Structure formats: structure tokens, C-alpha cells
Amino acid sequence: MNTNRDFAAIILAAGKGTRMKSDLHKVLHPIAGHPMLLHLLDSFAELDLKRTVVVVGDKREQLDAALADRGVTTALQEPQLGTAHAALQARAALEGFSGHILVCFGDCPMVRADTVRRLIAALDEGAKVAVLGFRPADPLAYGRIIADSDGTVAKMVEYKDANDEERACDLCNSGLIVAHSDDMWPLLDAVGNDNAQGEYYLPDVATGAIARGDTVKVIETDADEVAGINSRAELAVAEAQWQALKREEAMAGGASLKAPETVFFSWDTELGRDVTVEPNVVFGPGVSVADGATIRAFSHLEGASVGEGCSVGPYARLRPGAVMEKDSKVGNFVEMKKATLGEGAKANHLTYLGDAEVGAGANIGAGTITCNYDGYFKYKTVIGERAFIGSNSALIAPVRIGADAIVAAGSAVSRDVGDGDLRVVRGDQVVKPGWADRFHDAMKKKKAAEKEKKG
């Protein structure tokens, strides 16, 4: 790719997406927790785009909101008269721009930056227009690309306008097209709507270039990369495809996935080397896992940082703001939210740590709860280094437990505990010898009398 030439992208996202049957714009439906349109923009970020224009129509306000901090311009297509007409709506936003222009679709989130570079390279080698083709297992109703063995395009035709011989061709049009601005705008202007649908088709940019004697080249890629998403079923297929790629990437990076097909990643999940992930683990957005950590089965992590050598789960839940420092551990049925577990600290089972700070080496007993909410406000619990919290304790925030302190099992602590202190907060244990036996005898006699009375 010639880096001396500026590059811009027009992303078409004006369609209604009726097959999704959703109040959410089609291109904002998430894959791995990230809107498909933003996947595409993230990929294009590698290309050093000078300008990006998203052509919008239906539910424009949703797209404007999603793109507010992306440095992207939107252009309205109204009415919607076809894909070439849509691309023309970006002209005002690209006024004064001179360089290569890519036109693509917002519902094709898997397009890679390297593929776009290959299209640009075709222009640098002399083509006036470059298009992206693919060979699906079933060509269905895709538009066809009729090309020579060297990739020179002789004709592009929509399926509805193709004859039987052209439909027999398995090289299909993805819709991605690149040309220099000096060529793109005149070719778009020349597109007509004399076709079966009466629409202005984007592929006719290539057809127009061929008609005037220009060279048009097709670059081929895998069908999975350019699969469009128009329905919930196709969204699920794309999610599965993305997850499969991410699993391969994680294992190639040094992580061990015990049952890869059962592990689900978010778009921004980060795993270090020698991380072990057991079956049925879900990573939500914003999770990083450092080297040597173990995520045990059936755990759910979101917005969490897991330090080196840590152990999570099984059946643990780390919510946003959870931070586990080196060699700390949470076990089964432990939940953390906006809480830090210090180096080597442990909460082995049945514990809730919310709005809490736990010092290094502390031990949190089973059934411990940090009571952080009074129905109106959240409060913080601070537990010092090497403190021991006995089982079934309630720490009623705001409260501070000192270093090396012990909270006896079954305590409800509402006042600070000093360093090295023992705090026991329980009612007196009362024993009444023989009381239970007398109670049972009385109840049995009463029950028998009731039964005799009814009989």
C-alpha cells in the first residue's frame, strides 16, 4: 500500500434491517459484546484513514450516538435509492479530499485491514477500480464477477440481472470497492437504474469503469470474512465465527483452554501466558488475566483484573471493578464487585465482597458478606493485611478491620476493629435442659387430640 496517498472510507449503514426484527439498528447489534459497526471501525483503525463517513438513514440517532467519540462523520441517505446512491451521499463530507476511497457495508464486521491493503495495492499496480470477491459454498443470489485468470474483471452483474451462464460462475461480489476519488465520484455519478430493481447499484461503478476502457481487478478473500449479517441467525453465525477465531488466538498466545468450544470471550478480553481456562467460562467486556492465572469452570468475569498466579472459581462471579492482586484466590460461589483482593488474600467460598478493600494475606471465611448498601448509598469496607474474618460474618459498612485482627464466626460488625484485636458480636448462648423434649411431647399430644376430635 502506498502510504503517500491519503485514504478514506465510506461505510453504508442506511438500511432498515427489517429481518433483525429489532428496535436497535442492525449494525449496532453486538458480536462479542461490541457493535458490529465498531468492529469494522476498529479494524480500519490500522489503515490510518484520513476521513470516515458512515451513511445513515433509519434510526440515525442511534448511530450518531454510537459514533459520537469516534471522529466519524455521518451522512443521511433519504430516500434510499440503492447502494451507489448511498455512497454519493458522502460526497459533501469528503469535499476537498483527494485519495483512495473504500466503499463497504456496515453489516460486514469481519473485514480485515490486510484485505483492504490488498485492494489498495491493486490500484497502485495500475487498476482504476478494485473489487473484493469470494467463492461461497452456495453462491445463492449474490452478484457475480466475471473475471479472467489474472483477476481482470470483464463484467459484474447482479443475480437478478444475470443469465444462466453468468449465474453458473461461483465468484461472487462482496460489495467492497476501492477507487481513487478522481475516478470514484464520476463513476458514481454515471450509475443508472436501468435494472430489475430500478436501483442505483454500487457494482455499476466497476461496470462503468470497464465500459470506458479502464482496468478493474478483483481480489479474492474467504467467504467468512465478507459474510453480511441481516438476521438473528446470521448474527449467531458471526458470533460463533468470531469466538472460534478468538479461541485460536488465545491458545496461540500461550493460554490453555480445556474445552475451547465452551469458553466465550468478549471483544477486548486479554489473557496472559500460561493462563488456564476451564470449561464453561464467560468473559464479559473489560477483563484482563495475567500470566499463570487459573479460571475454573462455570465462572463469569466482567470488568475485572485478575493478577499473576491468581485462582478464580469454580462458579465465581467477578463484576466490574473487581481487582485480584498476585496469587489471590476466590473460590466457589464468591462474588466480587468494585473490590480489591490483596496479594495472597483468599475468599474460598460463599462470600460477597462489594465496595471493599482486602489487604494482602487476609482470609475471608465462608458466608462473609460486606454489607455495602443501605438502600440509598454505597459504603466501603476495608480489611487489613493478614486479617481473619470468621465464617458467616456480616461486615456492615462503612467499617474498617485492622491488620492481623480476627472477627469471630457469626459476627455482625458495625464498628471498626483495631489492629490485632478480636471482635465477637453475638447474642448470649442460652441452654434450657430438657426444654426440647417437653416441647415435642406437648405438640404430639396436641396433634393427637386434634386428630381424635376430627375423627
Side-chain angles (χ1 to χ4, degrees):
M1 179 175 172
N2 187 340
T3 55
N4 293 323
R5 292 182 178 172
D6 287 343
F7 184 40
I10 301 171
I11 301 174
L12 307 185
K16 295 183 181 300
T18 53
R19 287 171 57 194
M20 295 297 282
K21 293 182 171 58
S22 176
D23 293 330
L24 182 66
H25 194 290
K26 178 173 70 170
V27 301
L28 297 182
H29 279 264
I31 296 171
H34 200 46
M36 66 174 84
L37 176 60
L38 300 191
H39 276 284
L40 191 62
L41 291 174
D42 289 344
S43 179
F44 288 176
E46 300 178 30
L47 299 170
D48 190 27
L49 291 167
K50 299 302 179 185
R51 300 191 201 178
T52 303
V53 183
V54 177
V55 179
V56 299
D58 187 54
K59 300 182 178 70
R60 177 181 186 170
E61 68 286 352
Q62 293 183 10
L63 289 171
D64 286 338
L67 298 170
D69 60 351
R70 283 279 178 158
V72 172
T73 302
T74 58
L76 179 64
Q77 183 194 20
E78 187 61 47
Q80 294 170 20
L81 303 178
T83 49
H85 175 259
L88 275 171
Q89 308 316 301
R91 178 155 49 188
L94 292 177
E95 185 176 0
F97 173 82
S98 179
H100 294 319
I101 297 175
L102 164 71
V103 183
C104 63
F105 296 97
D107 62 0
C108 293
M110 303 297 185
V111 176
R112 298 186 294 267
D114 283 345
T115 300
V116 178
R117 292 189 183 100
R118 292 170 58 211
L119 290 167
I120 296 294
L123 299 188
D124 292 338
E125 292 167 3
K128 285 291 188 180
V129 175
V131 296
L132 188 62
F134 66 107
R135 298 181 189 271
D138 185 348
L140 300 172
Y142 290 109
R144 301 300 203 263
I145 300 174
I146 313 301
D148 298 335
S149 58
D150 66 352
T152 300
V153 178
K155 184 178 182 181
M156 293 181 66
V157 58
E158 291 297 315
Y159 179 84
K160 292 179 180 179
D161 300 308
N163 59 37
D164 290 343
E165 183 180 356
E166 291 164 344
R167 290 179 179 182
C169 172
D170 68 348
L171 181 56
C172 296
N173 178 28
S174 72
L176 274 76
I177 189 166
V178 177
H180 194 276
S181 54
D182 292 344
D183 298 302
M184 182 67 81
W185 301 124
L187 288 168
L188 282 169
D189 281 330
V191 171
N193 66 344
D194 184 15
N195 51 61
Q197 292 294 99
E199 292 188 356
Y200 298 89
Y201 288 143
L202 185 61
D204 284 346
V205 167
T207 300
I210 294 167
R212 71 184 194 183
D214 293 333
T215 299
V216 175
K217 287 285 188 177
V218 58
I219 302 299
E220 293 191 39
T221 192
D222 294 334
D224 286 346
E225 183 179 359
V226 292
I229 300 172
N230 296 293
S231 67
R232 304 281 184 159
E234 290 172 352
L235 183 66
V237 170
E239 177 77 31
Q241 175 190 339
W242 190 96
Q243 292 293 341
L245 292 171
K246 184 66 175 183
R247 291 165 190 147
E248 291 292 335
E249 178 185 300
M251 291 186 286
S256 292
L257 310 184
K258 296 296 186 181
E261 69 280 2
T262 71
V263 176
F264 291 85
F265 292 103
S266 186
W267 65 281
D268 58 351
T269 305
E270 298 178 4
L271 299 186
R273 296 180 63 180
D274 296 315
V275 168
T276 298
V277 183
E278 293 185 353
N280 298 295
V281 171
V282 176
F283 294 96
V287 175
S288 64
V289 181
D291 295 351
T294 298
I295 313 299
R296 299 196 181 279
F298 295 98
S299 294
H300 188 286
L301 296 79
E302 180 177 357
S305 173
V306 178
E308 182 179 348
C310 289
S311 179
V312 177
Y315 294 97
R317 184 183 181 196
L318 302 188
R319 293 168 56 194
V323 176
M324 295 180 63
E325 296 182 352
K326 183 179 179 181
D327 294 327
S328 60
K329 179 181 178 181
V330 295
N332 50 291
F333 304 106
V334 173
E335 180 179 353
M336 290 180 65
K337 188 275 298 181
K338 199 177 179 182
T340 298
L341 197 60
E343 184 173 343
K346 298 177 181 179
N348 281 326
H349 30 227
L350 300 167
T351 291
Y352 172 66
L353 298 174
D355 295 275
E357 181 180 319
V358 180
N363 190 309
I364 311 300
T368 296
I369 299 172
T370 56
C371 307
N372 58 332
Y373 184 50
D374 65 1
Y376 296 93
F377 301 102
K378 297 288 182 70
Y379 302 94
K380 189 173 183 179
T381 298
V382 178
I383 299 171
E385 296 182 355
R386 300 173 302 280
F388 182 92
I389 310 300
S391 297
N392 200 35
S393 293
L395 307 180
I396 304 168
V399 68
R400 179 180 295 270
I401 311 299
D404 299 300
I406 296 175
V407 173
S411 294
V413 179
S414 58
R415 290 179 292 177
D416 291 354
V417 179
D419 293 351
D421 287 355
L422 167 66
R423 177 65 56 83
V424 182
V425 189
R426 302 176 185 149
D428 290 337
Q429 184 169 287
V430 178
V431 178
K432 295 184 178 182
W435 187 94
D437 288 338
R438 293 191 297 273
F439 173 79
H440 292 314
D441 288 343
M443 290 299 104
K444 287 175 182 177
K445 289 177 182 178
K446 184 177 180 179
K447 188 173 183 179
E450 290 289 335
K451 185 176 181 180
E452 183 178 349
K453 183 178 178 180
K454 290 181 179 178

